[in-house]
Structures are given as C-alpha cells and as structure tokens.
Amino acid sequence: MKQSTPNATPFSRRNFLTRAGALGLSGFLAITSRSVRASELIELPFANGRRELVSNFPQKGPMILQRSRPPLLETPFEVFDQGVFTPNESFYVRWHLPNIPTTIDPAEFRLKVRGGVRQPLSLTLQELVRDFPPFEIAAVNQCSGNSRGFFSPRVTGAQWDNGAMGNALWRGVRLKDVLDRAGVASGALQARFRGLDTGVLPQTPTLMKSLAIDHARDGEVMIAYEMNGKPLPLLNGFPIRLVVPGWYATYWVKMLADIEVLDKADDNYWMSKAYVIPDTPGANVTPDQKDVKMVPINRMVPRSFFTSLRDGAHVRRAQPLQLRGIAFGGDTGIAKVLVSTDAGHNWQAARLGTDHGKYGFRQWELPVRFVSTGPKTLLVKAINTAGLAQPDHPNWNASGFMRNVIEAVAVQVS
Ligand SMILES: Nc1nc2c(c(=O)[nH]1)N[C@H]1C(S)=C(S)[C@@H](COP(=O)(O)O)O[C@H]1N2
Ligand SMILES: [Mo]
C-alpha cells in the first residue's frame, strides 16, 4: 500500500470542465456506425473467438470489442507484459445498462449519502477532494466473468479471454471517512451503491451493489477520483467510482452518485440474482449438481499468467530465455509463483518483482534454458499469503464466474 502526499487538486473546476469537454464522446454515441473505421480482426483462443480490435471509444486505445452497447471492451493481453499498472487507455470496460451519461459536468455532480445516517450529505467533487484526506492503493479490478470463454461446458455471458482485468493505482478518499462524516446510525447493516447509468425500459433494475457496513468502513474500500494519476476515463466511471480491494469488480460501482445506508440485507436483483456463486470451494460445481446453496460473489482468488510468450510460441534449444508474467493473490498478497517447464513434474519458484501492495499485480520472472527439442508444456501457479493455491483443474459454474486453474502454454523447442 502506498500513501502519498496531496498534490494539486485534480478537480479544479477549470481542469475538470476542460477534460469533460475534451472527451470526444461523439465516437461513443455514434458507436453503432463504427464500421467506417478500419478495424483489425483477432482470434481469441476458444470457439467463436473472432473479435474486432477497435480504437474508436473515447479515451481508449485499441481494445477487443466484445459488445458495443453497452460497451464491453477487453484489454489485449500483450498490455500485461508491459508493466504491472494497466494504462487507463487500455483498461477493460464493462457496463450492464445502455444509458450511460456521455458528459458529466463536474460542477453539477453530487455524491449523496443518505438512509440510516445522522446527517445526509450531498457532496461536490471539490468537497470530496478538499475535505477528506487522500488515500492511494494499488488494486486489481477483475470482472467476475473474466476468462468465461474457457468454461467447458460453455456457459452464456460475455465470452472474455483473460483480459477482463486490470491493475491501477487508485487515488481518492476512504469510504469510511465519508460514512463517518454522515454518521452511520446504529442498526445499520449494509451500504448500497448506485451509479448514474440506467436501463432503457423502466422495469430494468438499476445496478446497485451493497457491502456489509463493517466492510464499507474497513478503511480500504475507497471512493476513487483518480486512476494511475489521472482522472478516471468516462467509461471507467468518471468522475468517481467505488474501489473494493480484493473483491470482484461487480462491487466497484462506477459514476458513483448515491450511497444509501440500509438496516436490512439488500436483496435487489444485482445482489440476489445476477452475481451469485455456488457456496462451494472455488465456486466449483458439476453441471448436473442440483440444489446448490448460492451466495453473493465476494473475494477474489489467486491467479497467475505468462505474459512474455503465448501458446504456440517457438523457442530455441540451449538459448537462455527469460519467462515472465503477472500474478495476484486475490484478496491478499502473493506468497509464491511456481513455474514448471515439464508439464508439472518439477516446479521452480519465480523471482517476484516490486511489491506495490497486496492487492495489485506482481510481476514474476524465471530464467530457463531448454536442453531438448520438441513440444513442452509450461505451467504457472500462484500461491497467496493465506496459503491458497491455484487448482490443477478448472472450476465450473453455470454463470462462468471466478475462472481459476493453473495456466498452461504449449511451446515448441527447436
Ligand atoms: N455504474 C456501474 N458500475 C459498474 C458496473 C455497471 O454496469 N454500472 N459494472 C460492474 C462490473 S460487473 C464490472 S466488471 C466493473 C468493470 O469496471 P471497468 O469498466 O472500469 O473495467 O464495473 C462494475 N461497476
Ligand atoms: Mo463484471
């Protein structure tokens, strides 16, 4: 965890308005006529994996188009080899509802805090920045459905490759400080968060997510106004979003505008139906398993990836080769990353890169040299500081959530 001194406020009115005006949102609105733009086709490594690589979303570079409205954009995996912080212009995007404001006037924006509080609040962005101590944390934002395209048997939902995740240095204020300003009333059970996006039909339930009040007040859950030193891109939740370190991104409500303190458990659609997992280790069930108890998705689990080479890569015998990748511990830090170059017979500990805090990506490296030619299976496995290791076999559930398995790449040595 990194704590830094406050610098010039990112939300001076002029700065904010200029940025809001400079978003170039016409591309966003006109996205259905995007065919005028040249785009490249890429092939994700599963059936029906052909996707367009598009560059016409505001504040975004080349992204894998999963869907245009609402936008689902995946980070091209090469980006993860370039460093542990995922650049804002490459950071994946996921929205559920199609009506997303295309401009936000920072001067008009208010964050409401209401419900079971002594003093309801309506905060301007300037108040949020000025009146609360700044807080920074590096944390992985990962969609519950990241890697869903690999589920077998296949399940419905966005068929993501492994790029529905990203790591950023988030800067903002602690949610605890804001809740304490409002004064949480006794009997409070949860805090519920809502953004500015809505459905087209009035009966579409607005996305709302809730956290236990103690979790909301743990001093780590935060309201972020900056991502990697810059205001949040509109598509990642400008002007503010919730950051819930160690938890799946469904809770990281974007364009956060409303916090309601509840005295009972929230059973709205997005809590009780849309984002529930089997209450089993690793959310793992068999496709024919019946009457499984379901619970809201929550903490992430450890994962690791190769980033320096892809499945099918050709490498030279006897030549020194630096294997490289990223790992994260889920809801706690990485203890070890183990790599096998012989399909799991032998494992070696990789060298871990700079620790930017327990919730972020950690780079790993391992020098290897292949003594014989032929096909080789390379494996990588993360173990977190709670002793949880990635499983040998992939988990499965009907929603395609929490994909986890020791990752493999096949290489050809010649
Ligand atoms: N307001 C709002 N916040 C939201 C969502 C949404 O649809 N609306 N989707 C959630 C889900 S499921 C994910 S995976 C993350 C994606 O965050 P990103 O687009 O910044 O990568 O946002 C979360 N926050
Ligand atoms: Mo998600």
Side-chain angles (χ1 to χ4, degrees):
M1 194 181 312
K2 219 168 89 179
Q3 187 87 47
S4 68
T5 49
N7 56 15
T9 160
F11 289 120
S12 72
R13 200 164 162 189
R14 201 165 127 250
N15 183 4
F16 223 126
L17 288 173
T18 318
R19 287 178 189 279
L23 287 180
L25 291 171
S26 53
F28 183 51
L29 292 168
I31 199 64
T32 44
S33 58
R34 112 194 95 67
S35 50
V36 287
R37 299 288 191 109
S39 68
E40 201 183 306
L41 288 178
I42 57 156
E43 199 72 40
L44 301 182
F46 39 75
N48 303 315
R50 184 157 302 169
R51 300 285 185 281
E52 278 179 86
L53 197 66
V54 297
S55 305
N56 58 334
F57 282 84
Q59 303 169 292
K60 293 287 161 184
M63 298 293 290
I64 299 166
L65 183 67
Q66 292 282 7
R67 193 172 65 197
S68 358
R69 193 163 186 268
L72 266 67
L73 310 174
E74 174 161 352
T75 303
F77 206 76
E78 310 80 75
V79 169
F80 300 114
D81 194 46
Q82 288 153 25
V84 287
F85 290 104
T86 315
N88 294 3
E89 62 272 17
S90 307
F91 211 97
Y92 87 100
V93 171
R94 199 264 187 264
W95 292 87
H96 294 82
L97 306 172
N99 289 338
I100 306 162
T102 53
T103 53
I104 288 174
D105 181 346
E108 295 298 316
F109 183 88
R110 296 288 183 278
L111 171 64
K112 297 232 158 55
V113 185
R114 60 191 181 91
V117 294
R118 280 192 296 278
Q119 175 63 59
L121 306 176
S122 174
L123 297 168
T124 66
L125 289 169
Q126 268 175 323
E127 284 168 335
L128 206 64
V129 174
R130 196 189 54 205
D131 297 351
F132 299 90
F135 176 67
E136 279 191 357
I137 199 165
V140 174
N141 161 330
Q142 181 183 214
C143 181
S144 317
N146 189 25
S147 322
R148 184 184 284 121
F150 297 102
F151 269 66
S152 170
R154 301 195 71 163
V155 295
T156 56
Q159 301 296 300
W160 301 104
D161 189 358
N162 295 323
M165 61 173 188
N167 178 44
L169 181 63
W170 308 95
R171 181 184 175 85
V173 303
R174 291 179 184 86
L175 176 60
K176 176 183 196 302
D177 292 343
V178 173
L179 288 172
D180 286 357
R181 176 74 53 98
V184 172
S186 62
L189 209 62
Q190 294 188 338
R192 172 156 77 186
F193 308 92
R194 186 165 56 74
L196 293 174
D197 47 327
T198 58
V200 172
L201 305 171
Q203 59 267 37
T204 308
T206 301
L207 185 123
M208 296 188 287
K209 298 297 298 191
S210 297
L211 296 175
I213 197 74
D214 289 347
H215 186 188
R217 296 183 68 250
D218 74 355
E220 288 187 332
V221 176
M222 68 183 290
I223 299 169
Y225 48 70
E226 270 187 27
M227 176 174 171
N228 297 322
K230 284 166 275 181
L232 306 175
L234 183 97
L235 292 171
N236 298 106
F238 181 89
I240 53 173
R241 83 173 306 166
L242 203 67
V243 167
V244 188
W247 281 47
Y248 283 96
T250 177
Y251 295 96
W252 298 39
V253 173
K254 299 190 279 190
M255 289 186 184
L256 176 67
D258 188 79
I259 302 175
E260 186 183 356
V261 174
L262 306 175
D263 61 6
K264 53 182 186 313
D266 182 9
D267 68 347
N268 99 77
Y269 171 81
W270 300 100
M271 286 299 291
S272 63
K273 304 241 161 45
Y275 278 96
V276 292
I277 53 166
D279 190 14
T280 58
N284 187 30
V285 290
T286 58
D288 54 9
Q289 208 167 323
K290 294 276 175 328
D291 301 319
V292 186
K293 185 186 172 214
M294 303 297 277
V295 292
I297 195 166
N298 49 84
R299 298 160 187 282
M300 296 194 290
V301 290
R303 296 193 77 178
S304 58
F305 300 93
F306 291 93
T307 58
S308 62
L309 42 70
R310 288 188 157 246
D311 208 47
H314 287 259
V315 301
R316 290 235 150 262
R317 189 186 67 86
Q319 248 171 40
L321 178 70
Q322 190 76 351
L323 296 178
R324 188 172 57 237
I326 50 166
F328 59 103
D331 66 339
T332 184
I334 277 287
K336 246 187 245 171
V337 172
L338 299 176
V339 176
S340 171
T341 54
D342 57 6
H345 296 293
N346 297 287
W347 293 89
Q348 277 175 274
R351 196 179 63 78
L352 297 178
T354 311
D355 186 358
H356 295 278
K358 62 181 178 176
Y359 297 114
F361 283 156
R362 193 91 188 258
Q363 204 161 39
W364 62 263
E365 275 186 337
L366 185 73
V368 295
R369 196 193 296 257
F370 293 98
V371 292
S372 61
T373 58
K376 313 278 173 201
T377 300
L378 313 184
L379 302 175
V380 63
K381 161 159 79 171
I383 303 167
N384 74 15
T385 55
L388 190 62
Q390 290 190 262
D392 296 339
H393 300 285
N395 62 329
W396 189 93
N397 54 68
S399 302
F401 288 157
M402 291 179 71
R403 161 83 179 180
N404 202 4
V405 67
I406 293 172
E407 298 288 333
V409 298
V411 300
Q412 191 66 38
V413 183
S414 55

